[in-house]
Amino acid sequence: MKKTGSEAVLLSLIEEGTEYIFGYPGGAIMPVYDAMMTVDRIKHILTRHEQGAIHAAQGYARVTGKVGVCMATSGPGATNLITGIADAMIDSTPLVCITGQVVSPLLGTDAFQETDVVGVSIPITKWNYLITKAEEIPEIIAKAFYIAKTGRPGPVLIDIAKDAQFGVLDYEYKKCTKLRSYKPVPAYDEEKIKEAASAINQAKKPYILFGQGVVLGNAEEEFRTFLEKSGIPAAWTILGVAALPTDHPQNMGMLGMHGNYATNVLTNECDLVIAIGMRFDDRVTSSLNTYLTKAKVIHLEIDPAEISKNVKADIPVLGSVKETLPLLTKYIEKKEHTEWIGEFKKLYAIENTKVIQKDLYPETEGLRPGEVIRIINERTKGEAIYVTDVGQHQMFASRYCKFNNTRSFITSGGLGTMGFGLPAAFGAKMGAPDRDVVLFVGDGGFQMTIQELGTIAQTEAAVKIVLLNNKFLGMVRQWQELFFDKRYAHTHMVNPDFIKIAEGYGIKGKKVLNRPELSSAIDEMLNHKGAYLLEVSIEKESNVFPMVPSGASVSDVMLEAK
């Protein structure tokens, strides 16, 4: 079947089940865009910036579990994807990024809009490849999807020279099912699993730390079965939050810098840690010299590079958690750790009095982020998909949103990319059109990708945008208050009229200044059929607590400013 390279690109994407391409056209990718006019089984979403395209693809991938696809032209189009690629790499998000490139005879000549995007992206992609011949296209795209979605997922970049897009080939597509030099899932060692089970059975104060690996491995059910047989308390990383329902009796809350009081303090009181699909990020561990001072460590992980990278694993259990967790469950004894869980509850009561109630039911005159998030979460009954940008609102949302379903919290974890939220929320809505998608965003991050309101307007995606406006870069301001003697260097924001901007895009909005207006405004937003911007003016100096200061022990948790 004779096809052009451009047609082969689109037909190959269709073979891989691609629903949407999030992208922005330009000269070097124009042949593929032209071929879209004859293909109706795939929908292209025109974003307003390439960074918006890749963050939208991330939101789509995180909600659906499928590979997100984005597309850009050469030079600046390709380099505008780089932040999103780095974000996807550290957060293990499966993406296929397709960029156009100058014709192959001009490669290396500094031609117009030429950038060596393959060279630039090597450290932040799982794999990348430059296609210079049309005949390569089907095989390379098949490999790209296989690599992106298998094992520990991640982004793959394919750069396609313009002459390869114009070229003609005998088109045939074969899905990739294995590569000789690539073993995405290491074989598990059953003896190690038995050793881990023995350690769990003997432990007096065992503690489960779980992350996004549970979700990426589609192992939520296996994890819950293991958890309930073990009777062990469990805490989550920010990307693992929705893997377990919030109200599960063994769910003790969030780990890390702004995690719960008990989950941090008792890290150094446990005698055994079972780490499941998490990578001991510095935001979780803080000072490694004072972390897990009394505990033996079992680490269940699919990526061998993560074993003993930051925290030494006494019993490493390699493999997919979907396979290893059922075996571990088989060998452990059924137990209840009532007294140990009771210690978490005692410390939670302290946090509840000193922090949580003040955040959720404040007596201050000004509105606080926690109460806004609480009311929205109550009205959506924990069934919505919540997306955040990066900053204080991100921490408030992760702490106070309650979840019933997996894949319901989309945020930028490892890279902490401001500007992620708005396009990611749009991509999430594309992936889950029948679910409410609520974005929590600050005034700083919102303005980084505010142009994507145009994408939302053009596609009529019903994203609910909750702008928590304190006229500051809030998280930086908090650090300046606590550690820089309140020297607020360049963190105050002079903001535009956000409601007028939304109205300019045809998006309905409302600004809330005081508490009596809040409840009805939230109802109006949630009941509105289309996209909606709810801007809430919040206290300028609301801080996120608890807080583990940078470099301190996780035991040294601050419940309030000193």
Side-chain angles (χ1 to χ4, degrees):
M1 188 164 55
K2 295 287 185 182
K3 296 291 177 183
T4 65
S6 298
E7 292 171 323
V9 170
L10 298 174
L11 291 171
S12 299
L13 293 177
I14 289 169
E15 289 284 349
E16 292 291 345
T18 303
E19 296 177 286
Y20 296 102
I21 299 170
F22 301 93
Y24 202 96
I29 197 67
M30 204 175 295
V32 175
Y33 273 82
D34 185 64
M36 288 182 193
M37 302 298 290
T38 62
V39 175
D40 59 3
R41 289 172 57 195
I42 197 166
K43 187 173 182 180
H44 179 271
I45 306 296
L46 175 64
T47 57
R48 298 306 186 260
H49 190 284
E50 292 88 355
Q51 185 177 351
I54 191 164
H55 289 330
Q58 288 176 272
Y60 172 87
R62 296 267 289 275
V63 162
T64 63
K66 300 176 183 177
V67 177
V69 177
C70 62
M71 190 173 289
T73 192
S74 63
T79 57
N80 281 343
L81 296 178
I82 292 297
T83 296
I85 294 173
D87 192 286
M89 186 67 176
I90 201 166
D91 281 355
S92 303
T93 305
L95 298 181
V96 169
C97 310
I98 297 173
T99 54
Q101 186 54 275
V102 300
V103 294
S104 51
L106 291 181
L107 289 169
T109 68
D110 293 331
F112 176 67
Q113 290 194 332
E114 181 195 1
T115 298
D116 178 10
V117 70
V118 167
V120 169
S121 65
I122 283 173
I124 53 170
T125 50
K126 197 174 174 187
W127 183 66
N128 63 17
Y129 191 89
L130 170 62
I131 294 176
T132 57
K133 296 178 181 178
E135 294 82 4
E136 297 178 289
I137 289 171
E139 179 185 1
I140 296 304
I141 289 181
K143 284 183 179 180
F145 273 84
Y146 176 66
I147 292 170
K149 67 187 178 184
T150 53
R152 181 179 181 176
V156 170
L157 182 135
I158 306 171
D159 200 29
I160 310 177
K162 194 170 182 179
D163 48 329
Q165 298 170 46
F166 279 123
V168 176
L169 69 152
D170 291 318
Y171 179 77
E172 182 183 6
Y173 196 79
K174 293 180 181 178
K175 285 195 176 185
C176 182
T177 57
K178 65 177 182 178
L179 293 169
R180 184 175 59 184
S181 59
Y182 171 60
K183 292 182 172 60
V185 181
Y188 61 79
D189 181 345
E190 195 159 352
E191 291 306 310
K192 284 291 182 186
I193 294 173
K194 289 179 180 177
E195 185 182 349
S198 176
I200 292 169
N201 291 337
Q202 294 174 45
K204 302 299 182 185
K205 292 185 175 182
Y207 190 14
I208 293 169
L209 313 181
F210 66 95
Q212 189 187 202
V214 174
V215 178
L216 296 175
N218 299 308
E220 293 92 342
E221 185 177 339
E222 290 82 358
F223 172 65
R224 187 164 177 168
T225 301
F226 166 74
L227 183 75
E228 290 174 353
K229 185 178 180 182
S230 73
I232 299 171
W236 37 268
T237 69
I238 193 170
L239 295 184
V241 51
L244 183 71
T246 306
D247 62 359
H248 192 283
Q250 288 165 253
N251 190 337
M252 298 296 109
M254 185 166 90
L255 296 163
M257 179 173 280
H258 293 291
N260 292 101
Y261 185 51
T263 59
N264 280 313
V265 169
L266 294 178
T267 298
N268 282 342
E269 297 300 320
C270 67
D271 59 6
L272 179 71
V273 155
I274 306 101
I276 303 174
M278 55 87 72
R279 58 187 182 85
F280 290 109
D281 171 74
D282 65 290
R283 278 295 198 261
V284 166
T285 67
S286 194
S287 170
L288 287 170
N289 293 329
T290 55
Y291 186 67
L292 295 179
T293 53
K294 302 176 182 178
K296 200 171 184 178
V297 176
I298 299 167
H299 196 172
L300 280 70
E301 176 60 48
I302 199 169
D303 184 356
E306 292 296 343
I307 297 292
S308 297
K309 184 177 82 174
N310 296 326
V311 172
K312 183 182 182 299
D314 298 287
I315 307 174
V317 180
L318 282 168
S320 165
V321 291
K322 196 168 183 69
E323 296 177 337
T324 56
L325 275 173
L327 280 171
L328 190 57
T329 305
K330 174 184 171 183
Y331 292 121
I332 64 171
E333 299 167 0
K334 183 169 178 58
K335 286 191 176 184
E336 292 182 1
H337 290 277
T338 308
E339 289 185 14
W340 174 222
I341 289 175
E343 292 187 36
F344 284 85
K345 291 180 177 179
K346 287 177 185 176
L347 293 184
Y348 177 83
I350 295 171
E351 180 187 351
N352 189 50
T353 300
K354 290 192 172 184
V355 179
I356 296 173
Q357 291 301 309
K358 292 177 182 179
D359 280 344
L360 300 185
Y361 303 96
E363 296 178 357
T364 56
E365 181 179 342
L367 288 163
R368 304 194 70 174
E371 66 181 308
V372 179
I373 291 164
R374 171 185 60 81
I375 296 169
I376 292 171
N377 190 243
E378 288 172 352
R379 301 286 161 84
T380 57
K381 299 178 181 178
E383 294 293 329
I385 293 167
Y386 299 103
V387 183
T388 81
D389 205 82
V390 169
Q392 287 180 312
H393 68 274
Q394 178 189 30
M395 297 298 106
F396 281 117
S398 59
R399 284 175 52 78
Y400 296 132
C401 285
K402 294 185 177 181
F403 301 95
N404 302 326
N405 306 300
T406 189
R407 296 188 178 275
S408 294
F409 189 68
I410 312 301
T411 196
S412 172
L415 199 63
T417 304
M418 289 181 69
F420 172 90
L422 186 61
F426 167 75
K429 186 64 178 178
M430 293 291 99
D434 296 329
R435 295 184 66 186
D436 287 330
V437 174
V438 179
L439 166 67
F440 295 110
V441 64
D443 45 312
F446 188 50
Q447 291 180 84
M448 286 194 172
T449 49
I450 195 170
Q451 70 276 357
E452 297 309 327
L453 289 173
T455 310
I456 290 172
Q458 185 167 342
T459 54
E460 300 181 344
V463 176
K464 312 302 183 186
I465 304 161
V466 182
L467 171 59
L468 299 171
N469 187 355
N470 60 4
K471 298 182 180 179
F472 266 106
L473 298 175
M475 187 62 85
V476 184
R477 187 215 56 77
Q478 177 169 335
W479 279 59
Q480 289 172 332
E481 176 187 338
L482 298 177
F483 308 116
F484 292 86
D485 296 325
K486 295 188 177 181
R487 294 190 298 274
Y488 298 149
H490 307 292
T491 47
H492 177 255
M493 303 283 285
V494 177
N495 290 325
D497 187 328
F498 292 113
I499 301 302
K500 283 186 177 179
I501 291 173
E503 288 173 353
Y505 284 106
I507 294 172
K508 187 173 176 60
K510 176 175 280 190
K511 185 172 183 176
V512 172
L513 297 172
N514 53 63
R515 192 164 284 115
E517 302 174 310
L518 181 61
S519 180
S520 61
I522 287 172
D523 284 340
E524 181 177 325
M525 174 188 72
L526 293 174
N527 292 329
H528 184 68
K529 290 185 179 179
Y532 194 102
L533 172 62
L534 178 64
E535 179 185 355
V536 183
S537 291
I538 59 171
E539 286 184 338
K540 290 184 178 181
E541 296 190 353
S542 287
N543 288 331
V544 187
F545 287 106
M547 181 178 184
V548 180
S550 182
S553 167
V554 290
S555 302
D556 299 327
V557 187
M558 296 168 57
L559 288 173
E560 56 192 1
K562 294 180 180 179

Coordinates of all heavy atoms in Angstrom, one line a residue, residues 254-319:
M254 N -0.5 11.9 53.8 CA 0.6 12.3 52.8 C 1.9 12.4 53.5 O 2.1 12.8 54.6 CB 0.2 13.7 52.2 CG 1.2 14.1 51.1 SD 0.6 15.5 50.1 CE 1.3 16.8 51.0
L255 N 2.9 11.9 52.7 CA 4.3 12.0 53.2 C 4.9 13.4 52.7 O 4.4 14.0 51.8 CB 5.1 10.9 52.5 CG 4.8 9.5 52.9 CD1 5.4 8.5 51.9 CD2 5.3 9.2 54.3
G256 N 6.1 13.7 53.3 CA 6.9 14.8 52.7 C 6.8 16.1 53.3 O 6.2 16.3 54.4
M257 N 7.4 17.1 52.6 CA 7.6 18.4 53.2 C 6.3 19.1 53.8 O 6.4 19.7 54.8 CB 8.2 19.3 52.1 CG 8.5 20.8 52.6 SD 9.4 21.8 51.4 CE 11.0 21.2 51.6
H258 N 5.2 18.9 53.1 CA 4.0 19.4 53.6 C 3.0 18.3 53.8 O 1.7 18.5 53.8 CB 3.4 20.5 52.6 CG 4.2 21.7 52.5 ND1 4.3 22.6 53.5 CD2 5.0 22.2 51.5 CE1 5.1 23.6 53.1 NE2 5.6 23.4 51.9
G259 N 3.5 17.1 54.1 CA 2.6 16.0 54.4 C 2.1 16.1 55.8 O 2.3 17.1 56.5
N260 N 1.4 15.1 56.2 CA 0.8 15.1 57.5 C 1.8 14.9 58.7 O 2.9 14.4 58.4 CB -0.3 13.9 57.6 CG -1.5 14.2 56.7 OD1 -1.6 13.7 55.7 ND2 -2.3 15.1 57.2
Y261 N 1.4 15.4 59.8 CA 2.3 15.4 61.0 C 2.7 13.9 61.4 O 3.9 13.6 61.5 CB 1.6 16.0 62.1 CG 2.4 16.2 63.4 CD1 3.7 16.8 63.4 CD2 1.9 15.9 64.6 CE1 4.4 17.0 64.5 CE2 2.6 16.0 65.8 CZ 3.9 16.6 65.8 OH 4.6 16.8 66.9
A262 N 1.7 13.1 61.5 CA 2.0 11.7 62.0 C 2.8 10.9 60.9 O 3.8 10.2 61.3 CB 0.7 11.0 62.2
T263 N 2.5 11.1 59.7 CA 3.2 10.3 58.6 C 4.7 10.6 58.6 O 5.5 9.7 58.2 CB 2.5 10.5 57.2 OG1 2.6 11.9 56.9 CG2 1.1 10.1 57.2
N264 N 5.0 11.8 58.9 CA 6.4 12.2 58.9 C 7.1 11.8 60.2 O 8.2 11.1 60.2 CB 6.6 13.7 58.7 CG 6.4 14.1 57.2 OD1 7.1 13.5 56.4 ND2 5.6 15.1 56.9
V265 N 6.5 12.2 61.3 CA 7.2 11.9 62.6 C 7.4 10.4 62.8 O 8.5 10.0 63.3 CB 6.4 12.5 63.8 CG1 6.9 12.0 65.1 CG2 6.4 14.0 63.7
L266 N 6.4 9.6 62.5 CA 6.5 8.2 62.8 C 7.4 7.4 61.8 O 7.6 6.2 62.0 CB 5.1 7.6 62.9 CG 4.3 8.1 64.1 CD1 2.9 7.5 64.1 CD2 5.0 7.9 65.4
T267 N 7.8 8.1 60.8 CA 8.8 7.5 59.8 C 10.0 7.0 60.6 O 10.6 5.9 60.3 CB 9.2 8.5 58.7 OG1 8.1 8.8 58.0 CG2 10.3 7.9 57.8
N268 N 10.4 7.8 61.6 CA 11.6 7.4 62.3 C 11.3 6.6 63.6 O 12.2 6.4 64.5 CB 12.4 8.7 62.7 CG 13.2 9.2 61.5 OD1 13.5 8.4 60.5 ND2 13.6 10.4 61.5
E269 N 10.1 6.1 63.7 CA 9.7 5.3 64.8 C 9.4 3.8 64.4 O 9.3 2.9 65.2 CB 8.5 5.8 65.6 CG 8.7 7.2 66.2 CD 9.8 7.1 67.3 OE1 9.9 6.1 68.0 OE2 10.6 8.1 67.3
C270 N 9.2 3.6 63.1 CA 8.9 2.3 62.6 C 10.1 1.4 62.5 O 11.2 1.9 62.5 CB 8.3 2.4 61.2 SG 9.4 3.0 59.9
D271 N 9.9 0.1 62.5 CA 11.0 -0.8 62.5 C 11.1 -1.5 61.1 O 12.1 -2.2 60.8 CB 10.9 -1.9 63.6 CG 9.6 -2.7 63.5 OD1 8.8 -2.6 62.5 OD2 9.4 -3.5 64.4
L272 N 10.2 -1.3 60.2 CA 10.2 -1.8 58.9 C 9.4 -0.9 57.9 O 8.3 -0.5 58.2 CB 9.6 -3.2 58.8 CG 9.6 -3.9 57.4 CD1 11.0 -4.3 57.0 CD2 8.7 -5.1 57.5
V273 N 10.0 -0.6 56.8 CA 9.3 0.2 55.8 C 9.2 -0.7 54.5 O 10.1 -1.4 54.1 CB 10.1 1.5 55.4 CG1 9.8 1.9 54.0 CG2 9.7 2.6 56.3
I274 N 7.9 -0.7 54.0 CA 7.7 -1.4 52.7 C 7.4 -0.3 51.7 O 6.3 0.3 51.7 CB 6.5 -2.4 52.8 CG1 6.7 -3.4 54.0 CG2 6.3 -3.2 51.5 CD1 5.9 -3.1 55.2
A275 N 8.3 0.0 50.9 CA 8.2 1.0 49.9 C 7.7 0.4 48.6 O 8.3 -0.5 48.1 CB 9.5 1.7 49.7
I276 N 6.5 0.9 48.1 CA 5.9 0.3 47.0 C 5.7 1.3 45.9 O 4.9 2.3 46.0 CB 4.5 -0.3 47.3 CG1 4.7 -1.3 48.5 CG2 3.8 -1.0 46.1 CD1 3.4 -1.8 49.0
G277 N 6.5 1.2 44.8 CA 6.3 2.1 43.6 C 6.6 3.5 43.9 O 5.9 4.4 43.4
M278 N 7.6 3.8 44.7 CA 8.0 5.2 45.1 C 9.5 5.2 45.1 O 10.2 4.2 45.2 CB 7.4 5.6 46.4 CG 7.7 4.8 47.6 SD 9.2 5.2 48.4 CE 8.8 6.7 49.2
R279 N 10.0 6.4 44.9 CA 11.5 6.5 44.6 C 12.3 7.3 45.7 O 13.4 7.7 45.4 CB 11.7 7.2 43.3 CG 11.1 8.5 43.1 CD 11.2 9.0 41.6 NE 10.6 10.4 41.5 CZ 11.3 11.5 41.7 NH1 12.6 11.4 42.1 NH2 10.7 12.7 41.5
F280 N 11.7 7.5 46.9 CA 12.4 8.2 48.0 C 13.0 9.5 47.5 O 14.1 9.9 47.7 CB 13.5 7.3 48.5 CG 13.0 6.1 49.3 CD1 13.2 4.8 48.8 CD2 12.4 6.3 50.5 CE1 12.7 3.7 49.5 CE2 12.0 5.2 51.3 CZ 12.1 3.9 50.8
D281 N 12.1 10.3 46.9 CA 12.4 11.7 46.5 C 12.8 12.5 47.7 O 12.3 12.3 48.8 CB 11.2 12.3 45.8 CG 11.3 13.7 45.5 OD1 12.1 14.1 44.5 OD2 10.7 14.5 46.2
D282 N 13.6 13.5 47.5 CA 14.1 14.4 48.6 C 13.0 15.1 49.3 O 13.1 15.5 50.5 CB 15.2 15.4 48.1 CG 14.6 16.4 47.1 OD1 14.3 16.0 46.0 OD2 14.5 17.6 47.5
R283 N 11.9 15.4 48.6 CA 10.7 16.0 49.2 C 10.0 15.1 50.2 O 9.3 15.5 51.1 CB 9.7 16.5 48.1 CG 10.1 17.8 47.5 CD 10.0 18.9 48.5 NE 9.9 20.3 47.9 CZ 10.9 21.1 47.8 NH1 12.2 20.7 48.1 NH2 10.8 22.3 47.2
V284 N 10.3 13.8 50.0 CA 9.7 12.8 51.0 C 10.7 12.6 52.1 O 10.3 12.5 53.3 CB 9.4 11.5 50.3 CG1 9.2 10.3 51.3 CG2 8.2 11.6 49.4
T285 N 12.0 12.4 51.8 CA 13.0 12.0 52.8 C 13.6 13.2 53.6 O 14.0 13.0 54.7 CB 14.1 11.3 52.1 OG1 14.9 12.2 51.3 CG2 13.6 10.1 51.3
S286 N 13.6 14.4 53.0 CA 14.4 15.5 53.5 C 15.8 15.0 53.8 O 16.4 14.4 52.9 CB 13.7 16.0 54.8 OG 14.3 17.3 55.1
S287 N 16.4 15.2 54.9 CA 17.8 14.8 55.2 C 17.9 13.3 55.2 O 17.3 12.6 56.1 CB 18.3 15.4 56.5 OG 19.6 14.8 56.8
L288 N 18.7 12.7 54.3 CA 18.9 11.3 54.3 C 19.7 10.8 55.5 O 19.5 9.6 55.9 CB 19.6 10.9 53.0 CG 18.8 11.0 51.7 CD1 19.7 10.8 50.5 CD2 17.7 9.9 51.7
N289 N 20.5 11.7 56.1 CA 21.3 11.2 57.2 C 20.4 11.0 58.5 O 20.9 10.3 59.4 CB 22.3 12.3 57.6 CG 23.3 12.5 56.5 OD1 23.7 11.5 55.8 ND2 23.8 13.7 56.3
T290 N 19.2 11.5 58.5 CA 18.3 11.3 59.6 C 17.0 10.6 59.3 O 16.0 10.8 60.0 CB 18.0 12.7 60.3 OG1 17.5 13.6 59.3 CG2 19.3 13.3 60.9
Y291 N 17.0 9.9 58.2 CA 15.8 9.3 57.6 C 15.8 7.8 57.9 O 16.8 7.1 57.7 CB 15.7 9.6 56.1 CG 14.4 9.1 55.5 CD1 13.2 9.7 55.8 CD2 14.4 8.1 54.6 CE1 12.0 9.3 55.2 CE2 13.2 7.6 54.0 CZ 12.0 8.3 54.3 OH 10.9 7.9 53.7
L292 N 14.7 7.3 58.4 CA 14.5 5.9 58.6 C 15.6 5.4 59.6 O 16.3 4.4 59.3 CB 14.5 5.0 57.4 CG 13.3 5.3 56.4 CD1 13.4 4.4 55.2 CD2 12.0 5.0 57.1
T293 N 15.7 6.0 60.7 CA 16.8 5.7 61.6 C 16.7 4.4 62.3 O 17.7 3.8 62.8 CB 16.9 6.8 62.7 OG1 15.6 7.0 63.3 CG2 17.3 8.2 62.1
K294 N 15.5 3.8 62.4 CA 15.4 2.5 63.1 C 14.9 1.4 62.2 O 14.6 0.3 62.7 CB 14.4 2.7 64.2 CG 14.8 3.7 65.3 CD 13.7 3.9 66.3 CE 14.0 5.0 67.3 NZ 12.9 5.2 68.3
A295 N 14.7 1.7 60.9 CA 13.9 0.7 60.1 C 14.8 0.0 59.1 O 15.7 0.5 58.5 CB 12.8 1.5 59.3
K296 N 14.3 -1.3 58.8 CA 14.8 -2.1 57.7 C 13.9 -1.7 56.5 O 12.8 -1.3 56.7 CB 14.6 -3.5 58.1 CG 15.4 -4.5 57.3 CD 15.3 -5.9 57.9 CE 16.2 -6.9 57.2 NZ 16.1 -8.3 57.8
V297 N 14.4 -1.8 55.3 CA 13.7 -1.3 54.1 C 13.5 -2.4 53.1 O 14.4 -3.1 52.7 CB 14.4 -0.1 53.4 CG1 13.7 0.3 52.2 CG2 14.6 1.0 54.4
I298 N 12.2 -2.7 52.8 CA 11.8 -3.5 51.7 C 11.4 -2.6 50.5 O 10.6 -1.7 50.8 CB 10.7 -4.4 52.0 CG1 11.1 -5.4 53.2 CG2 10.2 -5.2 50.8 CD1 9.9 -6.1 53.8
H299 N 11.9 -2.7 49.3 CA 11.6 -1.8 48.2 C 11.1 -2.6 47.1 O 11.8 -3.4 46.5 CB 12.8 -1.0 47.8 CG 12.5 0.2 47.0 ND1 13.4 1.1 46.6 CD2 11.3 0.6 46.4 CE1 12.8 2.1 45.9 NE2 11.5 1.8 45.7
L300 N 9.8 -2.5 46.7 CA 9.1 -3.1 45.6 C 9.2 -2.1 44.4 O 8.6 -1.0 44.5 CB 7.7 -3.5 45.8 CG 7.4 -4.8 46.6 CD1 7.9 -4.7 48.1 CD2 6.0 -5.2 46.5
E301 N 9.9 -2.4 43.3 CA 10.2 -1.4 42.3 C 10.4 -2.1 41.0 O 11.0 -3.1 40.9 CB 11.4 -0.6 42.7 CG 11.9 0.4 41.7 CD 10.9 1.5 41.4 OE1 10.2 2.1 42.3 OE2 10.7 1.7 40.2
I302 N 9.9 -1.4 39.9 CA 10.1 -2.0 38.6 C 11.4 -1.5 37.9 O 11.9 -2.1 37.0 CB 8.9 -1.6 37.7 CG1 8.8 -2.5 36.4 CG2 8.9 -0.1 37.3 CD1 7.5 -2.3 35.7
D303 N 11.9 -0.4 38.4 CA 13.1 0.2 37.8 C 14.3 -0.1 38.6 O 14.5 0.5 39.8 CB 12.9 1.7 37.7 CG 14.1 2.4 37.0 OD1 15.1 1.7 36.6 OD2 14.0 3.6 36.7
P304 N 15.2 -0.9 38.2 CA 16.4 -1.3 39.0 C 17.2 -0.1 39.4 O 17.9 -0.1 40.4 CB 17.2 -2.2 38.1 CG 16.2 -2.8 37.1 CD 15.2 -1.7 36.9
A305 N 17.2 1.0 38.6 CA 18.0 2.2 38.9 C 17.5 2.9 40.2 O 18.3 3.6 40.8 CB 18.0 3.2 37.7
E306 N 16.3 2.6 40.6 CA 15.8 3.3 41.8 C 16.1 2.5 43.1 O 16.0 3.0 44.2 CB 14.3 3.4 41.7 CG 13.8 4.4 40.7 CD 14.2 5.8 41.0 OE1 14.6 6.1 42.1 OE2 14.2 6.6 40.0
I307 N 16.5 1.2 42.9 CA 16.9 0.4 44.1 C 18.2 0.9 44.7 O 19.2 1.0 44.1 CB 17.0 -1.1 43.8 CG1 15.7 -1.6 43.3 CG2 17.5 -1.8 44.9 CD1 14.6 -1.7 44.3
S308 N 18.1 1.3 46.0 CA 19.3 1.8 46.8 C 19.9 3.1 46.2 O 21.0 3.5 46.5 CB 20.3 0.8 46.9 OG 19.8 -0.3 47.7
K309 N 19.1 3.8 45.3 CA 19.7 5.1 44.8 C 19.8 6.2 45.8 O 20.8 6.8 45.9 CB 18.7 5.6 43.6 CG 19.3 6.8 42.9 CD 18.4 7.2 41.7 CE 17.2 8.0 42.2 NZ 16.4 8.6 41.1
N310 N 18.7 6.3 46.6 CA 18.7 7.3 47.7 C 18.7 6.7 49.1 O 19.4 7.1 50.0 CB 17.5 8.2 47.5 CG 17.5 9.0 46.3 OD1 18.6 9.4 45.8 ND2 16.4 9.3 45.7
V311 N 17.9 5.6 49.2 CA 17.8 4.9 50.5 C 18.2 3.4 50.3 O 17.6 2.8 49.4 CB 16.4 5.0 51.1 CG1 16.2 4.1 52.3 CG2 16.1 6.5 51.4
K312 N 19.1 2.9 51.1 CA 19.5 1.5 50.9 C 18.4 0.6 51.1 O 17.7 0.6 52.1 CB 20.7 1.2 51.8 CG 21.2 -0.2 51.6 CD 22.4 -0.5 52.6 CE 22.9 -1.9 52.3 NZ 21.9 -3.0 52.5
A313 N 18.2 -0.3 50.2 CA 17.1 -1.4 50.3 C 17.7 -2.6 50.9 O 18.6 -3.2 50.3 CB 16.5 -1.7 48.9
D314 N 17.3 -3.0 52.1 CA 17.8 -4.3 52.7 C 17.2 -5.5 52.0 O 17.9 -6.5 51.8 CB 17.3 -4.3 54.2 CG 17.9 -3.2 55.0 OD1 19.2 -3.2 55.2 OD2 17.2 -2.2 55.3
I315 N 16.0 -5.4 51.5 CA 15.4 -6.4 50.7 C 14.8 -5.9 49.4 O 13.6 -5.4 49.4 CB 14.3 -7.2 51.5 CG1 14.9 -7.6 52.9 CG2 13.8 -8.4 50.7 CD1 13.8 -8.2 53.8
P316 N 15.5 -5.8 48.3 CA 15.0 -5.3 47.1 C 14.1 -6.4 46.4 O 14.4 -7.5 46.4 CB 16.2 -5.0 46.2 CG 17.2 -6.0 46.8 CD 16.9 -6.2 48.2
V317 N 12.9 -5.9 46.0 CA 12.0 -6.8 45.3 C 11.7 -6.2 43.9 O 10.8 -5.3 43.8 CB 10.7 -7.0 46.0 CG1 9.7 -8.0 45.3 CG2 10.9 -7.6 47.4
L318 N 12.5 -6.6 42.9 CA 12.3 -6.1 41.6 C 11.1 -6.8 40.9 O 10.7 -7.9 41.2 CB 13.5 -6.3 40.7 CG 14.7 -5.4 41.0 CD1 16.0 -5.9 40.3 CD2 14.4 -4.0 40.5
G319 N 10.5 -6.0 39.9 CA 9.4 -6.6 39.1 C 8.2 -5.7 39.2 O 8.2 -4.6 39.8

